[in-house]
Amino acid sequence: MRNLSHQIAARLLIAYCVGVAALSGCATTPVEAPAAPLVFPSPPAEPRFFFERSLRFNDNVQQPAAADKFKRFISGGAKEVRGLVKPFDVAAYHGRIYVTDSIQKLVVLFDIPGGRYVEFGNSEPAALDKPTGITVSSAGEVFVADTGAQKIRVYSGDGIYLRSIGDAQSLQRPSDVAVDVERNRLYVVDAGGVESQQHGVKVFDLTTGEPLQFIGKRGTEPGDFNLPLQAALDNDGNLYVVDSGNFRVEGFAPDNKLIVNFGSLGRYPGQFARPKGIATDPLGNIYVVDSAFGNFQIFDPNGQLLLFIGKRGEASRPANYMLPAGIAVDYDGRVYVVDQFFRKIDVFRPAALEREQGFTALPPQDDE
């Protein structure tokens, strides 16, 4: 009987301690083991990429100053939250991640090294109407395809408007842009329209803005296009274009000669169902987003499939996508993927790069 009384007393004491801790908030929080990194491809295959982070809001990169924290504490005000509403395309330059937002009609800059969140392109004299594709030149200038205004808007790296290229006479539906500073060329993807035959790439003089030539025409033969959407240049000046209506990618040398043509309609790896964004990495590999598959596929320069990352999913988890669109690869090999539905940029790090290395490095931690 005495032992039973001791057991009851012990249980009451434990219940009391738990209750007090819950009410006071002074209980020690259990330390959870860090989650295993999300790696691609899955083990036991050799890792190629790690999921690293997602970018959505200003506080993903911007830390409020002590004065602002104190001001909010005194006034009781909430912090201002800004972020992506309907992102479309992304470009990366020295740790600055630029994202077009077609609903907000602006460009969002996540300046990771600088700890800044900046919005631009939403004021005169050149307010964006429907920004879609975006790229950054090797000189750091930002080029935005404005489908609504039928122009290419050019900004400084900090978002100061500089100039415009193209007009309604030269461009019908500009959807993306690529810049070759070395050859002084500006490539603009023109998606044309249902009734138009102007499906291809318009080439401009980068300095003067004068149109030089048009690559392609509407059709299905090699070198033709049907609703081209996005484009990317590799380090050798080769231009790769997503030919969405023909479910393929076409590559052109600097002399505009067709050098590669790969892809077909299908549901298997290496095929396409709804190809959108495209990028190249420092090794010349080609990354293609497929909105229907909910992933991006990586090909070598000859069009051979190397790997695919991501899956279609209804929850906003890492590497889950509902409406993936644009993609970019920075000089370090990190990959940035847009999802319009989940309003995010997913960042993937190549396995050869440590998390504390590169332009968008994260603090080191013992999780890999």
Side-chain angles (χ1 to χ4, degrees):
M1 189 71 176
R2 187 173 181 179
N3 289 338
L4 179 61
S5 299
H6 286 170
Q7 291 176 12
I8 294 173
R11 291 174 183 174
L12 289 173
L13 180 60
I14 292 171
Y16 172 78
C17 292
V18 170
V20 170
L23 290 173
S24 66
C26 296
T28 302
T29 303
V31 177
E32 296 183 1
L38 190 58
V39 60
F40 303 92
S42 301
E46 181 181 354
R48 295 280 303 280
F49 287 93
F50 292 101
F51 172 81
E52 199 165 62
R53 69 167 92 181
S54 292
L55 300 173
R56 303 171 189 266
F57 306 110
N58 56 334
D59 59 3
N60 293 145
V61 294
Q62 188 179 54
Q63 297 299 321
D68 293 332
K69 291 181 180 179
F70 181 74
K71 184 177 180 181
R72 286 202 305 267
F73 175 76
I74 295 298
S75 65
K79 67 178 180 180
E80 182 183 14
V81 177
R82 298 288 302 170
L84 302 172
V85 175
K86 192 172 183 181
F88 185 88
D89 197 15
V90 58
Y93 180 81
H94 291 182
R96 293 181 170 193
I97 314 304
Y98 299 88
V99 187
T100 54
D101 192 309
S102 58
I103 292 296
Q104 298 190 91
K105 300 184 178 182
L106 49 75
V107 175
V108 170
L109 164 60
F110 295 96
D111 182 357
I112 295 175
R116 298 185 304 153
Y117 173 93
V118 180
E119 297 176 347
F120 64 88
N122 53 347
S123 61
E124 297 299 343
L128 293 164
D129 182 59
K130 188 179 179 181
T132 50
I134 188 170
T135 194
V136 183
S137 73
S138 59
E141 290 185 334
V142 182
F143 292 73
V144 181
D146 191 338
T147 303
Q150 297 173 284
K151 297 177 184 292
I152 305 301
R153 305 292 195 187
V154 187
Y155 302 85
S156 72
D158 289 321
I160 299 172
Y161 172 69
L162 301 176
R163 62 190 183 278
S164 293
I165 297 174
D167 52 34
Q169 284 68 49
S170 57
L171 297 170
Q172 291 186 357
R173 289 179 60 199
S175 58
D176 199 17
V177 60
V179 179
D180 188 339
V181 172
E182 182 180 344
R183 296 169 182 82
N184 201 43
R185 292 180 184 175
L186 176 72
Y187 297 95
V188 180
V189 178
D190 198 329
V194 176
E195 304 297 330
S196 170
Q197 296 302 308
Q198 187 168 310
H199 292 220
V201 180
K202 191 82 173 187
V203 186
F204 293 85
D205 184 288
L206 184 58
T207 302
T208 66
E210 292 297 316
L212 301 176
Q213 61 189 122
F214 194 82
I215 303 173
K217 60 179 176 61
R218 190 169 192 180
T220 60
E221 296 298 317
D224 292 344
F225 295 101
N226 184 22
L227 297 175
L229 286 182
Q230 301 277 283
L233 287 163
D234 67 13
N235 291 335
D236 296 323
N238 299 314
L239 177 73
Y240 298 92
V241 184
V242 173
D243 186 13
S244 67
N246 288 322
F247 308 97
R248 65 188 181 188
V249 170
E250 297 195 299
F252 299 84
D255 62 0
N256 301 335
K257 179 182 178 182
L258 183 68
I259 56 173
V260 70
N261 182 320
F262 64 90
S264 62
L265 174 61
R267 57 188 180 91
Y268 296 104
Q271 296 181 310
F272 300 119
R274 195 180 175 192
K276 277 191 173 181
I278 189 169
T280 62
D281 69 15
L283 299 177
N285 296 318
I286 304 160
Y287 297 61
V288 183
V289 170
D290 197 296
S291 185
F293 293 164
N295 69 10
F296 63 93
Q297 301 183 83
I298 307 174
F299 301 86
D300 71 13
N302 297 315
Q304 297 298 310
L305 180 66
L306 301 175
L307 176 68
F308 67 88
I309 294 176
K311 65 179 181 179
R312 192 167 179 83
E314 296 181 356
S316 181
R317 299 189 180 98
N320 266 28
Y321 305 109
M322 183 65 72
L323 286 174
I327 188 169
V329 182
D330 68 14
Y331 298 128
D332 299 320
R334 278 186 171 91
V335 183
Y336 306 83
V337 185
V338 175
D339 189 274
Q340 295 180 287
F341 186 83
F342 293 134
R343 306 177 183 184
K344 66 174 181 174
I345 310 296
D346 274 357
V347 185
F348 298 86
R349 171 173 52 84
L353 189 73
E354 298 296 330
R355 59 178 286 132
E356 63 269 21
Q357 293 178 327
F359 291 111
T360 58
L362 287 171
Q365 68 179 34
D366 296 329
D367 66 351
E368 294 175 12

